[in-house]
Amino acid sequence: MRYLFCFLGILFLQIQLSAQPCGTVVTQQHQDFLTRFAQPAMYSFRSGNNQPKTVRKFPVQLHIVRQSNGQGGVTVSEVDAALSLLNQKYAPAKVKLIRNKKVNYISSNRFYHFRKSDENLMCNEHDVKNVINLYVVNSIKLGNSNGIVAGYAYMPNGPDRMVMNATYLGDKTTLIHEAGHYFGLPHTHGMGNMTITNELVDGSNCNSEGDKICDTPADPNLLGVVDYQCNYVGNYRDKRGRTYQPMVENYMSYAPAHCCSKFTKGQYDIISYTAHHSRKYLKPVTIDNTPSQPGNPTPETELLTAKDYFDQAMKATRNSEKIRNYNKAIELDPNFPEAWNNRAWVKYEITKYQSALRDANKAIQLKRHANFHHTRGAIYHALKQYKNAIEDYNMALSIDPDFVDARNDKKISEQALANSQQTEELSEDEYFNLALNSESLEDQIFYYSKILDKNPSHASAWNNRAWAKHQLGQNYDALNDVNKALELVQDKDFLHTKGNIHHALGNYNKAIAAYDAALALDPTYSYAKKDRAKSVRAMGTQPEPTTPQPDNPVVVNNEPETPAPPPPKAEPVDKKALASKYFREARAARNPSKKATLYTKVLRINPRHHAAWNNRAMAKMDLKQYRAALSDATKAVQLKRHKSYYHTKGLAYYNLKQYKKAILEFDKALRIDPKFHWAKQDKKRSQIAIRKQNKSIIYTRNVSGKK
């Protein structure tokens, strides 16, 4: 029994500590406001003459204070939940608070552990005019004391500002309490924070003492005198010896947070008067509160929260729509791990693996979750980094041992690792094709870097990586790369790349020299001529053509010439005609290697030519380059849903002996055209192959099981 009493005593102490003091200061000016304006307004409103008929919507600028390293801080969704509850409670006063879409993040250890003496230093820099500025910090101290307060706000005629302790944001009371101060309400026990009221229990001096609102019972100060069941257990008496009977459920009292749930009619009148008169300079948007008629929706438009955009993304069917909504969710709440993870998965599905990996890393950095590790494992597997994939699947299983997908995918990665001699098993040609087909410059650089890790003598990879870096503005790194290419091969396209880089760096003489060296190798090279003229105009002079002086001597080599990356500002009409010419030649060609080369030329001119992607995939299958063919067919399908493109993708899977995936693609083709003969035929071939494969597995198991 002794232990039970100790436990109850500790519990009671915890409940009392949960009701933290408020830091709002009621000045004499604010008391005069109550006496001269608010009280007369309360009685006028009560008569029904001046009650507002429309809701006024007040903009709130949210400032989330984090540590200097960007960690910590409340989430936007937590603030939105608190504002949503506040709006429900303030609805009778015709008041609504709406958060501005853009959140201001303040990264400062000093302000994270906030002292009121630093208020001007922080708020003078970050306050937004004519809105309610809501700052959420980790802790609040007043002066040099060690006491922590839950929050504070300014009464009318003060700054448009509320400061909240993040710990108390979710208690369903404190933000409502502080907003009450902002809209003119004092504490029910009077004008001081820790004082005991002089209001009499019978209410005879209610106009001059206490909170000066006569329908709130006299309140001595409820801090520490309300039990867990919300009973007043104090023994305070007024000057006439009468015991107080306070309203413990009032939001403006010092009762524990879970006890508070009400405003009185008089308090609502003060809030409404302040909102519609004393705070009207904020110019809130007026909302028509009349019920809408059929076909005439209410004109109010709510600002969407991060959670709203997340939910929209979850319901979306198109990948572009999903990414757009996840982008908005992350913009509003950068600490929203589920949004980072889901955007990573969408990017994984559209084969943007490097970008997906960055998103998955961010999600795991924010939150350790089995699904997030599974997502990153799938991305690593797609990148052929099987060891990393297995590590993430293991991490997912350590968090959730019953995670079936993680266990199955781990087995797939383990088998892939066992079948490969090394973690990265793509060939140089496959990486090169991935780079050529990628629209992301960062991904291109990654793939070319993979080639150069394997083969530092791959001149075209050096040149193309230089071109990608040049387009990103990384011109000094690009210059190093193109010089490496030229050390290996003296090529007109490499010299042209070097000229473009020098031009971007303002080295016009060196740019002209590089173009002259390219023209010495091919006097008809139109891109070099055109870009040389640009450099000459940039210099403001016209030097005579010089003898070619490249950085390296011109040598003759038998390596096949690599087409240059698409030069800037080519004539659109000429490009279109040239692409059509290459396409016709490719269709007429019989050699699959020549076909693939010609379709590559088409795609360099027009990367969105879906038929060229599909036809190049067919040519690569003839060359038995099945992985590269699958990559091309996937790009064709992304650009256009066509039965033939799905059929091509299915054939690529079939040749890779991934028969189930092949059947899925053939089914997609048949949904577009149920009479598509080739898709029907190849689907049957895949089904037969699966049956044969299953029989082979059963036979192997039976043989191995004999004793």
Side-chain angles (χ1 to χ4, degrees):
M1 182 63 70
R2 181 177 61 187
Y3 296 116
L4 176 60
F5 280 122
C6 289
F7 170 75
L8 292 175
I10 293 170
L11 177 62
F12 183 77
L13 178 60
Q14 289 175 336
I15 293 299
Q16 302 314 310
L17 290 176
S18 68
Q20 286 291 339
C22 167
T24 299
V25 177
V26 182
T27 65
Q28 185 60 48
Q29 185 181 24
H30 300 146
Q31 295 184 46
D32 293 342
F33 163 80
L34 283 169
T35 303
R36 296 177 56 193
F37 299 106
Q39 283 183 328
M42 179 179 69
Y43 295 115
S44 177
F45 275 32
R46 187 161 296 174
S47 68
N49 296 329
N50 295 316
Q51 288 185 354
K53 297 179 181 179
T54 57
V55 175
R56 290 180 75 84
K57 183 165 64 174
F58 289 84
V60 175
Q61 176 58 56
L62 175 59
H63 308 270
I64 294 179
V65 182
R66 304 181 294 190
Q67 299 175 58
S68 297
N69 62 5
Q71 300 298 312
V74 73
T75 65
V76 176
S77 56
E78 289 175 300
V79 177
D80 288 341
L83 286 173
S84 177
L85 180 61
L86 181 150
N87 286 331
Q88 293 175 29
K89 299 300 181 181
Y90 278 67
K94 301 291 192 297
V95 171
K96 192 166 191 177
L97 273 60
I98 302 296
R99 178 179 61 78
N100 285 346
K101 177 180 177 181
K102 190 171 183 61
V103 177
N104 178 37
Y105 289 91
I106 304 172
S107 297
S108 167
N109 288 338
R110 178 173 182 175
F111 299 147
Y112 184 69
H113 303 288
F114 182 72
R115 289 184 179 273
K116 196 169 187 296
S117 56
D118 286 334
E119 180 180 352
N120 288 336
L121 184 64
M122 177 177 74
C123 298
N124 288 347
E125 179 180 353
H126 296 284
D127 266 0
V128 177
K129 291 184 179 179
N130 295 326
V131 304
I132 301 172
N133 290 276
L134 174 59
Y135 292 86
V136 185
V137 300
N138 185 62
S139 60
I140 304 173
K141 290 185 179 180
L142 303 180
N144 294 320
S145 67
N146 292 323
I148 301 293
V149 297
Y152 67 90
Y154 285 92
M155 300 277 281
N157 300 320
D160 297 306
R161 189 181 301 151
M162 292 189 287
V163 182
M164 277 291 301
N165 184 328
T167 306
Y168 298 93
L169 187 68
D171 66 6
K172 301 183 179 180
T173 296
T174 303
L175 183 60
I176 296 172
H177 176 104
E178 300 305 335
H181 289 316
Y182 181 80
F183 287 107
L185 295 181
H187 294 123
T188 49
H189 55 259
M191 302 302 159
N193 287 326
M194 303 303 293
T195 57
I196 296 177
T197 188
N198 289 322
E199 185 178 356
L200 298 174
V201 172
D202 63 8
S204 57
N205 62 346
C206 64
N207 285 316
S208 58
E209 297 294 342
D211 61 359
K212 301 185 180 183
I213 303 173
C214 287
D215 65 350
T216 59
D219 178 344
N221 189 322
L222 301 185
L223 186 65
V225 292
V226 177
D227 66 13
Y228 183 68
Q229 286 76 31
C230 301
N231 298 312
Y232 172 63
V233 295
N235 55 6
Y236 293 115
R237 295 175 181 270
D238 68 7
K239 291 182 178 180
R240 296 178 180 176
R242 295 181 180 179
T243 302
Y244 286 100
Q245 297 178 348
M247 183 180 180
V248 297
E249 65 268 33
N250 197 290
Y251 276 119
M252 302 310 296
S253 75
Y254 268 2
H258 71 282
C259 298
C260 301
S261 61
K262 294 180 181 178
F263 287 117
T264 66
K265 179 66 171 66
Q267 287 175 315
Y268 274 129
D269 288 340
I270 297 291
I271 294 170
S272 188
Y273 175 82
T274 304
H276 291 259
H277 294 82
S278 299
R279 295 290 194 188
K280 65 181 180 180
Y281 61 88
L282 294 182
K283 300 179 182 179
V285 178
T286 300
I287 305 167
D288 185 358
N289 206 40
T290 306
S292 59
Q293 301 298 323
N296 295 314
T298 304
E300 178 180 6
T301 301
E302 297 287 355
L303 293 174
L304 297 183
T305 66
K307 182 65 166 60
D308 293 330
Y309 283 118
F310 181 85
D311 292 340
Q312 287 186 8
M314 293 288 287
K315 295 175 184 176
T317 56
R318 298 175 60 185
N319 287 327
S320 59
E321 186 181 356
K322 290 180 181 180
I323 289 179
R324 183 166 60 252
N325 281 294
Y326 286 132
N327 287 345
K328 291 179 179 178
I330 290 168
E331 178 186 347
L332 290 174
D333 185 1
N335 294 325
F336 196 159
E338 289 78 9
W340 285 101
N341 176 74
N342 289 16
R343 190 174 74 173
W345 189 260
V346 177
K347 290 179 178 179
Y348 159 76
E349 289 184 329
I350 61 176
T351 70
K352 292 188 175 181
Y353 300 131
Q354 290 302 316
S355 183
L357 183 59
R358 289 192 290 271
D359 282 0
N361 286 337
K362 182 65 176 180
I364 291 170
Q365 178 186 342
L366 291 170
K367 185 177 181 180
R368 186 172 172 267
H369 195 284
N371 283 334
F372 302 171
H373 283 287
H374 178 259
T375 297
R376 191 168 72 177
I379 296 166
Y380 275 133
H381 183 94
L383 290 169
K384 312 299 180 185
Q385 299 181 27
Y386 302 123
K387 289 182 179 178
N388 289 339
I390 293 167
E391 184 178 338
D392 265 314
Y393 293 141
N394 283 333
M395 187 63 71
L397 289 167
S398 71
I399 299 170
D400 181 4
D402 298 324
F403 197 166
V404 177
D405 287 344
R407 185 176 293 107
N408 292 339
D409 291 339
K410 177 188 173 185
K411 290 179 181 178
I412 294 171
S413 292
E414 286 173 339
Q415 186 61 45
L417 181 61
N419 293 337
S420 63
Q421 295 298 317
Q422 53 186 4
T423 305
E424 299 168 3
E425 63 186 69
L426 288 181
S427 67
E428 291 177 24
D429 288 342
E430 286 172 322
Y431 274 126
F432 202 83
N433 282 327
L434 285 172
L436 291 178
N437 297 339
S438 174
E439 296 179 1
S440 166
L441 294 171
E442 291 85 354
D443 286 354
Q444 289 178 28
I445 292 171
F446 173 82
Y447 293 131
Y448 289 130
S449 297
K450 287 291 185 183
I451 295 170
L452 295 170
D453 288 343
K454 290 171 171 285
N455 179 13
S457 298
H458 198 302
S460 294
W462 284 111
N463 175 71
N464 291 10
R465 191 173 78 170
W467 184 262
K469 289 180 177 180
H470 162 60
Q471 289 179 299
L472 286 173
Q474 301 170 8
N475 287 302
Y476 288 105
D477 286 345
L479 190 59
N480 289 332
D481 280 2
V482 76
N483 283 336
K484 286 281 189 181
L486 288 167
E487 287 174 8
L488 296 166
V489 178
Q490 285 292 312
D491 182 278
K492 66 176 184 179
D493 294 317
F494 301 174
L495 290 163
H496 176 256
T497 299
K498 185 173 183 178
N500 275 265
I501 296 167
H502 274 308
H503 182 93
L505 291 170
N507 302 328
Y508 303 123
N509 278 323
K510 293 183 178 180
I512 292 169
Y515 295 137
D516 285 343
L519 289 169
L521 296 175
D522 181 2
T524 65
Y525 193 8
S526 59
Y527 294 135
K529 289 180 180 179
K530 186 183 298 184
D531 291 334
R532 182 184 187 279
K534 289 181 184 177
S535 295
V536 169
R537 286 195 298 272
M539 282 184 61
T541 59
Q542 176 64 56
E544 294 295 325
T546 60
T547 303
Q549 294 293 332
D551 291 351
N552 301 284
V554 177
V555 296
V556 178
N557 68 86
N558 295 321
E559 287 191 20
E561 183 176 294
T562 303
K569 298 183 181 179
E571 294 293 334
V573 176
D574 292 342
K575 287 171 65 175
K576 185 176 180 180
L578 188 60
S580 297
K581 173 177 175 291
Y582 286 143
F583 191 82
R584 289 193 301 270
E585 290 177 359
R587 294 188 65 179
R590 294 187 177 183
N591 185 309
S593 180
K594 185 175 181 181
K595 280 179 176 286
T597 300
L598 289 166
Y599 285 128
T600 299
K601 290 183 178 181
V602 174
L603 293 170
R604 282 180 176 268
I605 296 171
N606 179 12
R608 301 189 65 80
H609 198 306
H610 45 82
W613 285 109
N614 179 73
N615 293 5
R616 191 174 76 168
M618 295 295 293
K620 287 180 178 179
M621 274 193 280
D622 289 339
L623 294 169
K624 301 188 184 305
Q625 298 174 4
Y626 300 127
R627 287 187 182 276
L630 179 60
S631 176
D632 282 2
T634 300
K635 186 66 177 180
V637 168
Q638 288 174 356
L639 292 170
K640 185 174 182 179
R641 291 177 64 254
H642 192 284
K643 63 179 183 180
S644 296
Y645 303 169
Y646 283 118
H647 179 250
T648 301
K649 190 174 178 181
L651 288 174
Y653 276 128
Y654 180 88
N655 284 298
L656 288 168
K657 297 184 179 181
Q658 299 180 30
Y659 303 121
K660 290 183 179 179
K661 290 184 178 180
I663 290 171
L664 289 175
E665 299 304 322
F666 295 140
D667 282 340
K668 291 175 184 177
L670 289 168
R671 279 200 292 270
I672 297 172
D673 181 2
K675 298 180 180 180
F676 190 9
H677 168 73
W678 294 111
K680 288 182 179 179
Q681 179 176 302
D682 291 327
K683 179 181 177 181
K684 288 180 181 178
R685 288 172 57 203
S686 298
Q687 290 169 334
I688 292 169
I690 289 175
R691 287 197 291 271
K692 289 181 178 179
Q693 195 177 54
N694 290 339
K695 287 180 181 179
S696 174
I697 292 170
I698 293 170
Y699 176 76
T700 302
R701 287 176 179 168
N702 289 338
V703 171
S704 63
K706 289 182 178 181
K707 295 183 179 178

